[in-house]
Amino acid sequence: LISLDASCGKKKAKKGAKDKGMFTSENLKCLVCQSLVEEFNYAIDKVDPKKKIETGTFRLNPDGTQNRVVVPYARSESHLMEVVDSVCKNFEDYAQAKSKASGKPMIIRITTPEGNMNPQMGEVDMVPDDDLNTRLKFYCENIVEDQEDDIMQIFSKQIAHPDYELCNKRSGLCKDLMPPQEEYNFENDEL
């Protein structure tokens, strides 16, 4: 009976080692990049669209006027700089997991931004991490530091696939990531 229990423990240890092998450094960087884009989009979407900020110069023109413009706060340089400075703290709430349906590795937010338990937790198997997921925050900080100019350019405008733009085209972190295929509308075809 004791030898049976010992062999069962070995099988579980091998499975855990196998799950850890799914999370290579390159794979985690790609997953963190994609989650970083989601965090930026969430931060931009939660800003009140009525909130405005003055931009421009404080210098006076020869005629005594100033070149000041009022723009929406969301996607402004000031707002994006605030997000850049604080976004990686959110990765303390992420954990490594494996999809129950596909078996693919993923990182998942344990709680929603509102503080509730993530409803997707039942769809994944959590994969324990010896570093207590501190690597996720570390990778986020490295991506933000290396790609800050690109992040500012991408999120200052509303583009169709910011995840593809940042994580594949500009940083090369997700070489397999492709933009979703646009649906073709057959109604406008001429025969």
Side-chain angles (χ1 to χ4, degrees), residues 47-48 51-53 71-79 82:
V47 172
D48 181 0
K51 189 173 181 179
K52 306 284 185 201
I53 187 171
V71 297
Y73 180 68
R75 297 188 188 277
S76 68
E77 185 175 355
S78 298
H79 178 237
E82 283 179 23

Side-chain angles (χ1 to χ4, degrees), residues 11-168:
K11 284 185 180 180
K12 286 187 178 184
K14 286 181 182 177
K15 182 181 178 192
K18 180 182 170 192
D19 286 346
K20 286 182 185 178
M22 295 188 326
F23 292 99
T24 63
S25 177
E26 292 79 24
N27 193 358
L28 274 177
K29 287 177 186 176
C30 176
L31 293 170
V32 167
C33 185
Q34 291 172 314
S35 296
L36 179 65
V37 171
E38 290 175 17
E39 290 290 334
F40 261 92
N41 284 333
Y42 177 78
I44 290 167
D45 291 344
K46 77 176 186 178
V47 172
D48 181 0
K50 295 176 186 169
K51 189 173 181 179
K52 306 284 185 201
I53 187 171
E54 274 190 41
T55 63
T57 179
F58 288 100
R59 292 183 179 208
L60 290 175
N61 294 329
D63 62 358
T65 61
Q66 289 181 322
N67 292 338
R68 307 284 295 156
V69 180
V70 177
V71 297
Y73 180 68
R75 297 188 188 277
S76 68
E77 185 175 355
S78 298
H79 178 237
L80 293 178
M81 288 303 295
E82 283 179 23
V83 176
V84 161
D85 290 342
S86 64
V87 72
C88 291
K89 183 164 179 30
N90 297 341
F91 281 83
E92 294 172 358
D93 296 332
Y94 277 80
Q96 297 173 172
K98 180 174 72 169
S99 170
K100 287 182 180 178
S102 67
K104 289 185 178 181
M106 57 192 309
I107 60 173
I108 186 168
R109 197 171 176 137
I110 297 169
T111 58
T112 63
E114 295 81 26
N116 302 322
M117 189 56 117
N118 190 334
Q120 296 175 324
M121 291 294 278
E123 301 169 14
V124 300
D125 290 323
M126 301 305 287
V127 177
D129 180 25
D130 297 336
D131 298 327
L132 299 174
N133 299 312
T134 55
R135 286 190 301 169
L136 303 178
K137 183 178 177 185
F138 175 75
Y139 287 145
C140 175
E141 290 167 348
N142 285 341
I143 293 168
V144 168
E145 185 178 325
D146 294 344
Q147 304 295 323
E148 186 172 348
D149 293 339
D150 289 331
I151 289 170
M152 297 297 284
Q153 288 176 356
I154 290 167
F155 290 101
S156 65
K157 304 176 194 94
Q158 192 163 0
I159 63 172
H161 305 290
D163 54 345
Y164 175 72
E165 185 68 29
L166 178 64
C167 302
N168 184 313

